[in-house]
Amino acid sequence: MQQRPGIEPPPGCPAHGNVPLYGPRFGSDPDGHYAYLRSLGPSAPVDIAPGVEVELVTSYDAALYILQNPASFVRDSRRWNALNEGRVPEDSPALPMLAYRPNALFSDGAAHARLRQAVTDSLASVNELQLVRQTQASADYLISRFSSERMGQAELMAEYAQPLPLLVFSDLFGCPPEIGDRVIAGITGIFSGGNGADQLLAEALNELIALKRRNPAEDLTTRLMQHSAQLTDEEVLHQLVTLLSGGTAPLSAVIGTASALMLGEEWQSGLPVEDAVTQVLWNYAPIANYAAHYPTHDVELGGRVVKANDPVLISFAAANTDPRLAEHREQLSAKAHLAFGAGPHACPAKDPAFVIAVTAVETLLNRLPDVEVRMPFKDLSWIPAPWSRSLVALPVRFTPRIVVPTAAQKAESPAAPSGNHVTATPRPPMGGAPKPKAGLFSRFLAWTRGE
């Protein structure tokens, strides 16, 4: 297909001319890259990382077709031709995102249905009012840290949007303080590429699962373990990791971007936070390019033939902003976006995620009513990775104030004696080493108790 007038092609990968979907050039103008790729058809080959070629779907209709057609497009990445043939670099940053893991995300058919049912049923039992309170408590704690210690300035991505979902999920999992600290340190290390983070997270979650075997409670971990699907401990661990990795980073992106939108000069005053979060899900999909599918046979996409077992990725960011939707977007449901996916692999946590995001932004605006962004929305920078659409930083200013835990937060503290949480057996220090410094979750729990 010929290139459309006025759309300049981004520079191609030197190896074979594919458009690279990574690096500063992509990060500074992802929409320009998507516009060019659309000019090539509903899908086009791109490099998702150096030396890693995938077919990227940018059309809303084509994306929906693939997501809703599990018979022809499966998720098990052990089918991946290039990986099996040794053509993917061993140190590729694409491997942690695309390599097979024994969880619902990479499974199909009956195996997928079993794992997913355990996750969806467990999430369905989460009380929405309690989730709002947990989010508010986490938000209040983080605001208390930067609002009283600084001269009215903060960086909201690092100090608010990123840690908030980690606190909420640690609470939902029923983590005792010390295990929660290591869960947060482990998943944070995985996102930042830290050495040993995988092992740290696995050890912490294994201890949590063993603890819940001895002392079941009213938490997400226990519900997964007691589900009729009878998951093994290893399966429980992998579903918890999936919830952490698939829930926390995208939520951070939504919270940051929605906050930036509402604090920007172009936002119409009086519109609810729900509108800002919905706009982010449509126009700044937090999971930008993901959901690798593997055709079970050679398939044709807009005149291009994609070979069986070659990866086909969905560009949720490009599909949601497909110009072909413009004519009837107002008639579509507000939830017709693909930010949470669609079909059998649609995000099972989309409703709790929406509640957490809205509550986090509302709490920020309520606690700091004069908060404002220190630069225009258009000048904010985005991380240059293909997988997510997230701000690098969100600098704000406000009038400093003291935020203290409410009586309700103290009464509902996860570490309160009347709660369902139990304390893990302390690990003795090695060789007389000093006790490790309290981590984020421990400090949060101590704050809710007013210590």
Side-chain angles (χ1 to χ4, degrees):
M1 178 180 292
Q2 289 187 342
Q3 178 187 328
R4 293 178 184 171
I7 300 180
E8 292 296 328
C13 170
H16 37 63
N18 287 351
V19 172
L21 235 64
Y22 55 87
R25 191 182 292 270
F26 169 73
S28 65
D29 185 25
D31 291 333
H33 285 64
Y34 299 143
Y36 171 71
L37 291 170
R38 287 193 198 100
S39 74
L40 305 178
S43 71
V46 301
D47 279 7
I48 202 75
V52 181
E53 179 179 310
V54 301
E55 188 79 8
L56 188 75
V57 178
T58 56
S59 158
Y60 181 94
D61 289 341
L64 195 59
Y65 169 75
I66 291 170
L67 292 167
Q68 295 180 335
N69 190 359
S72 296
F73 297 92
V74 298
R75 301 294 294 269
D76 189 338
S77 61
R78 289 174 295 187
R79 292 171 167 265
W80 187 359
N81 286 330
L83 182 63
N84 293 332
E85 295 165 5
R87 292 187 283 115
V88 176
E90 293 182 0
D91 60 349
S92 172
L95 283 177
M97 301 298 294
L98 301 181
Y100 174 80
R101 297 174 188 268
N103 59 34
L105 193 63
F106 292 95
S107 59
D108 303 288
H112 168 256
R114 171 176 168 269
L115 295 174
R116 180 180 174 84
Q117 195 64 52
V119 173
T120 54
D121 289 348
S122 300
L123 287 169
S125 65
V126 174
N127 181 279
E128 183 174 322
L129 180 58
Q130 183 63 27
L131 182 61
V132 169
R133 291 172 177 168
Q134 289 172 320
T135 305
Q136 288 174 334
S138 300
D140 282 346
Y141 167 65
L142 295 170
I143 293 170
S144 77
R145 295 180 70 191
F146 64 73
S147 65
S148 60
E149 297 175 357
R150 308 275 170 74
M151 298 302 292
Q153 296 187 14
E155 197 286 277
L156 286 186
M157 290 306 298
E159 298 179 83
Y160 188 73
Q162 291 168 358
L164 190 150
L166 296 172
L167 289 175
V168 174
F169 272 76
S170 295
D171 200 353
L172 286 173
F173 285 3
C175 291
E178 192 268 343
I179 290 181
D181 288 343
R182 287 187 287 135
V183 166
I184 291 176
I187 194 66
T188 301
I190 288 174
F191 288 143
S192 63
N195 291 329
D198 276 314
Q199 182 178 354
L200 176 63
L201 179 61
E203 289 177 352
L205 290 177
N206 275 321
E207 286 188 32
L208 177 64
I209 293 167
L211 178 64
K212 298 304 176 182
R213 288 283 181 207
R214 299 191 303 270
N215 300 290
E218 293 297 322
D219 53 55
L220 200 56
T221 307
T222 301
R223 293 184 192 116
L224 275 172
M225 296 170 65
Q226 295 180 343
H227 192 269
S228 59
Q230 298 184 324
L231 272 60
T232 66
D233 286 359
E234 182 183 11
E235 288 174 328
V236 172
L237 182 147
H238 283 289
Q239 308 327 302
L240 292 176
V241 171
T242 303
L243 286 168
L244 273 174
S245 57
T248 56
L251 259 177
S252 298
V254 174
I255 293 168
T257 308
S259 299
L261 278 178
M262 292 203 72
L263 298 175
E265 295 180 356
E266 297 180 357
W267 186 253
Q268 184 176 339
S269 178
L271 290 179
V273 173
E274 287 86 351
D275 284 9
V277 172
T278 298
Q279 183 170 327
V280 170
L281 294 173
W282 271 106
N283 297 332
Y284 307 93
I287 300 178
N289 306 286
Y290 197 49
H293 291 73
Y294 300 85
T296 57
H297 53 85
D298 291 0
V299 296
E300 183 178 328
L301 293 174
R304 283 180 47 77
V305 174
V306 180
K307 292 183 178 180
N309 298 326
D310 278 352
V312 178
L313 265 63
I314 306 297
S315 179
F316 300 107
N320 280 348
T321 55
D322 188 340
R324 296 188 178 189
L325 292 179
E327 296 180 3
H328 55 278
R329 169 123 164 220
E330 293 183 359
Q331 283 73 49
L332 290 174
S333 163
K335 297 181 179 180
H337 60 76
L338 299 180
F340 291 126
H345 281 274
C347 176
K350 58 179 181 293
D351 292 334
F354 194 86
V355 169
I356 294 170
V358 169
T359 304
V361 178
E362 284 181 342
T363 306
L364 174 71
L365 300 179
N366 290 336
R367 301 295 186 268
L368 302 175
D370 62 349
V371 65
E372 57 183 24
V373 182
R374 293 168 56 191
M375 63 177 64
F377 183 85
K378 64 180 179 62
D379 293 337
L380 294 170
S381 298
W382 303 89
I383 63 171
W387 315 107
S388 62
R389 178 75 156 155
S390 183
L391 292 170
V392 173
L394 183 57
V396 297
R397 52 176 168 255
F398 51 88
T399 301
R401 65 198 69 225
I402 302 296
V403 178
V404 297
T406 65
Q409 287 170 351
K410 291 181 181 180
E412 295 182 1
S413 167
S418 59
N420 291 311
H421 288 248
V422 292
T423 303
T425 303
R427 294 188 303 170
M430 299 294 293
K435 183 179 179 180
K437 182 180 178 181
L440 178 63
F441 194 57
S442 291
R443 297 195 300 271
F444 161 64
L445 296 179
W447 180 84
T448 59
R449 298 192 300 265
E451 296 178 357

